[in-house]
Amino acid sequence: MNSVKSAIREMFPDERNVLAAEAAFQELIV
Amino acid sequence: MTYDDIAGLSGTGSPERSTGLGDTGCMRSGFTRVEARGGDRCEVNRTGAFRDGKYATALPILWAERRGAPVVSFVRIDDRPIKVYSQIRAPDLVVVLDSSVMDVVDVLSGLKKGGSVLLNASHPVQLGISPVYTVDLTGIALKENLVVAGSPILNTPVLGALPESGSSP
């Protein structure tokens, strides 16, 4: 997940993108 | 060995590589098909895979799609250089960014045995296979105000869901 966040920050500096990715990681339902 | 094996179309050319965990356990090798609609901004970027030291290719299928028309794209991640740029017939993972495409597209078509589905929906959906991972990407994008021209941006939220849901771009 850290590499994902790092990649997102690099391409999309707006921190909301990282927050959204973290939320998706947490809210995933199986 | 068939042409599909050589070209990687069947997804069975190197099964030990196509399902293995990456060194960090974050970016996994494999074949992914993304089902969405035009305007969903479904281009899933590959930078995370590169950061994990892997090779990755992304292939959006572009034709005369209109906003709202079903579209599809493909992502390959591997530990070795990828020389195949074709469509993927047997993906390890199918990502459905708009669940309404399931009314007009067989999203499970070609999915490998043991493959998984990541579905953007606000509630779990029974697809008759397992595992199906569900996450409300649209809701998350709206909550974070990730909206452009009235459309929620799904490509960054979906990246957060991919590491847990099987092979991922």
Side-chain angles (χ1 to χ4, degrees), chain B residues 120-131:
Chain B
N120 173 24
S122 57
H123 56 278
V125 176
Q126 298 296 324
L127 295 179
I129 68 158
S130 180

Side-chain angles (χ1 to χ4, degrees), chain A residues 7-28:
Chain A
I8 292 174
R9 282 196 178 97
E10 181 178 294
M11 297 188 69
F12 306 98
D14 189 329
E15 191 66 11
R16 290 177 300 175
N17 291 290
V18 175
L19 295 175
E22 283 184 331
F25 181 75
Q26 298 293 334
E27 295 179 21
L28 197 65

Side-chain angles (χ1 to χ4, degrees), chain B residues 123-148:
Chain B
H123 56 278
V125 176
Q126 298 296 324
L127 295 179
I129 68 158
S130 180
V132 175
Y133 298 87
T134 306
V135 62
D136 185 9
L137 299 172
T138 302
I140 290 170
L142 293 174
K143 183 180 177 183
E144 295 295 339
N145 198 28
L146 287 172
V147 179
V148 172

